[in-house]
Amino acid sequence: MVNRSDVHYFGAGPAPLPTAVLEKASQVLLNYKEKGVGLCEISHRSPEANEILADTKQAITTLLDIPDDYEILFLQSGGTGEFSATVYNLVSIWVEKKRAKIAEEVGDDQAEVLKRLRQVVAEELKLDYLVTGSWSLKASQEATRLIGAKHVNVALDARKANDGKFGVISAEDQWSLTPRASGGGPAFVYFCDNETVDGVEFPAFPKSLEGDDAPLVCADMSSNFISRKVDVRKYAVIFGGAQKNVGNTGIAIVILRKSLLPPSSKGASPDLLRELNLPVGPIVLDYPTIAKNNSLYNTLPIFDVWIAGQVMAGLVDAYGAKRIGGQEEISNEKSRLIYDTLDKYSNVYRVVPDKTVRSRMNICFRVHGGDADKEKAFLAGAEKKGLLGLKGHRSVGGIRASNYNAVSLEGAKLLVAYMEDFAKSA
């Protein structure tokens, strides 16, 4: 029998979890707080469930230093569901702001308001997408499916600068963002901070999205969540599926400006959206509804929230005043060790993305230029060493070492030692 301590798992998601959290989970699944029932059996509306929600919110707030004017939501849609949720919620807010402005100008003439609003939507509604990998591409495709191609502006398609493949992020002066002059601009700008499949990570927040007239920014941080410092104030919406770096499969975490919620802001009515041929989102993806009900509008999987809370509380305890900066140091060190080895043996290994945008979380490379037999040999040898989950995504192949928080420094060093041995014997 293979023991958990015998292996180091580099899978991209579902990803490894801290052993201590899983050991505690095995206990609370049977008997939570000596109540005689397991954590999966308690009511999501019980005091215990509300306590878990509060503790998990506090842990993430402490780690990322989330300001008081932000709300934290838990949804069951995963990161993919948020591709849709961002469109539903933020387009609705954009439309309502435009309607209110027109109504100020024309008064109570509802027919005229609707006429002008139709024109504004047709001519001005744009969603900007920075497509740097497979997941941001899927997000842009979902937006196109929901509201139509004419409203979706792919301001950056990274493949155009890299022979049709992902692996670079073009300079910002080459992006075609929707102009923000004279009160215009997109309903939001969307980017994926770390592309799990393609191993591309934004090295920093884009400068072109900063400033007093900055648009609403939505960022998918599924696979680099709680791995480095984040200036939350620069974002309108941050979301991530838990299963890559925070917990197990089942929830998405959303960090949202409260100014996008009632009473500060509201979206267009469903009737108005239908009049404008724009989609009305399902209630389970409606941010105001989820926020109003403390993420408990429908039955939330409290066990999944508990796991995420335990993972993040462990980081709070481990790093203290450093907060997420402590984990960032470890993440950077692990990725440095692996990339240094790949570069050292460049005759054997080739890192897929450009050096300027290499992901610290998902390290994608090829062996002997992508030789199928050599890569199979690499994976087989790694498995014999207890180094698992290294096969690249099915859409791109190759090797992928996902360097998530639960991968220990020891595990990274063992992978490096194996890579050294393989390169020398190849």
Side-chain angles (χ1 to χ4, degrees):
M1 183 181 74
V2 178
N3 295 314
R4 185 175 179 84
S5 58
D6 296 330
V7 304
H8 294 273
Y9 185 60
F10 296 88
L17 287 164
T19 298
V21 171
L22 292 177
E23 289 174 340
K24 190 174 180 180
S26 69
Q27 299 168 9
V28 301
L29 276 171
L30 290 173
N31 193 344
Y32 184 66
K33 289 195 170 183
E34 306 302 323
K35 293 183 177 294
V37 295
L39 183 53
C40 287
E41 300 165 308
I42 67 171
S43 169
H44 65 297
R45 301 194 188 282
S46 65
E48 292 82 9
N50 278 278
E51 181 182 39
I52 289 169
L53 276 166
D55 289 347
T56 303
K57 286 184 180 182
Q58 185 57 55
I60 188 174
T61 297
T62 300
L63 277 177
L64 295 182
D65 195 21
I66 298 175
D68 291 339
D69 55 345
Y70 279 74
E71 184 63 80
I72 299 169
L73 310 177
F74 300 94
L75 296 91
Q76 296 173 61
S77 57
T80 301
E82 292 309 302
F83 296 169
S84 306
T86 51
V87 174
Y88 289 134
N89 286 279
L90 298 185
V91 166
S92 179
I93 290 172
W94 184 92
V95 169
E96 176 56 25
K97 286 182 177 179
K98 295 294 184 181
R99 186 209 63 78
K101 183 178 179 181
I102 293 169
E104 286 181 3
E105 296 171 356
V106 305
D108 295 331
D109 188 342
Q110 296 303 311
E112 182 65 17
V113 170
L114 183 59
K115 176 183 175 182
R116 292 196 186 187
L117 186 57
R118 285 186 190 279
Q119 183 176 357
V120 167
V121 168
E123 296 177 357
E124 299 181 20
L125 176 59
K126 294 292 182 183
L127 314 183
D128 284 2
Y129 281 78
L130 307 180
V131 176
T132 56
S134 299
W135 290 112
S136 51
L137 175 61
K138 288 184 177 181
S140 70
Q141 291 169 338
E142 175 65 356
T144 298
R145 188 182 73 87
L146 292 176
I147 65 168
K150 72 175 184 178
H151 296 303
V152 177
N153 172 40
V154 177
L156 163 65
D157 185 341
R159 296 170 295 182
K160 293 181 179 179
N162 196 42
D163 295 326
K165 297 180 180 180
F166 294 119
V168 301
I169 298 178
S170 302
E172 293 186 37
D173 61 6
Q174 297 179 36
W175 302 355
S176 56
L177 295 165
T178 300
R180 307 203 296 258
S182 303
F188 62 81
V189 179
Y190 184 106
F191 70 92
C192 181
D193 205 42
N194 184 87
E195 292 281 1
T196 318
V197 172
D198 306 282
V200 171
E201 185 174 28
F202 276 81
F205 187 85
K207 287 184 171 55
S208 57
L209 302 183
E210 295 181 338
D212 294 336
D213 64 340
L216 298 179
V217 175
C218 304
D220 175 359
M221 294 189 181
S222 294
S223 51
N224 66 352
F225 205 70
I226 63 169
S227 72
R228 67 178 181 182
K229 294 178 182 178
V230 174
D231 186 352
V232 174
R233 288 196 180 280
K234 293 182 177 180
Y235 302 84
V237 179
I238 294 172
F239 73 82
Q243 73 277 7
K244 296 180 185 294
N245 209 31
V246 183
N248 57 299
T249 303
I251 57 169
I253 300 172
V254 176
I255 303 169
L256 171 74
R257 280 185 194 155
K258 289 182 179 178
S259 61
L260 298 174
L261 297 169
S264 300
S265 181
K266 67 176 182 177
S269 70
D271 287 342
L272 177 58
L273 292 172
R274 282 190 282 268
E275 286 274 5
L276 297 169
N277 293 318
L278 292 173
V280 178
I283 197 71
V284 293
L285 296 181
D286 184 65
Y287 291 155
T289 299
I290 303 304
K292 180 180 178 181
N293 289 276
N294 191 29
S295 298
L296 297 172
Y297 178 78
N298 60 331
T299 307
L300 186 68
I302 289 298
F303 176 74
D304 301 339
V305 179
W306 181 89
I307 289 283
Q310 291 294 305
V311 169
M312 292 187 285
L315 295 180
V316 172
D317 292 342
Y319 298 117
K322 283 187 174 181
R323 301 189 181 186
I324 203 60
Q327 180 60 53
E328 183 174 17
E329 292 175 3
I330 298 296
S331 297
N332 291 347
E333 175 64 10
K334 289 186 296 176
S335 65
R336 183 192 65 79
L337 289 170
I338 297 171
Y339 278 123
D340 282 355
T341 305
L342 293 170
D343 290 338
K344 179 180 178 181
Y345 296 99
S346 58
N347 61 317
V348 176
Y349 305 116
R350 177 180 62 81
V351 179
V352 174
D354 186 79
K355 195 169 187 177
T356 59
V357 294
R358 288 177 175 178
S359 169
R360 299 163 306 116
M361 293 289 101
N362 307 104
I363 300 170
C364 299
F365 60 96
R366 306 308 299 252
V367 178
H368 283 287
D371 182 284
D373 290 335
K374 295 288 187 180
E375 292 188 336
K376 286 180 181 178
F378 179 92
L379 292 169
E383 188 168 348
K384 290 179 181 177
K385 296 282 187 179
L387 306 170
L388 308 181
L390 289 164
K391 187 175 182 179
H393 191 271
R394 64 186 183 278
S395 65
V396 295
I399 314 297
R400 175 175 57 179
S402 291
N403 177 38
Y404 296 138
N405 292 353
V407 173
S408 66
L409 183 58
E410 176 194 5
K413 289 180 177 179
L414 288 172
L415 175 59
V416 164
Y418 169 67
M419 291 164 60
E420 291 253 6
D421 290 342
F422 184 89
K424 289 174 182 177
S425 62

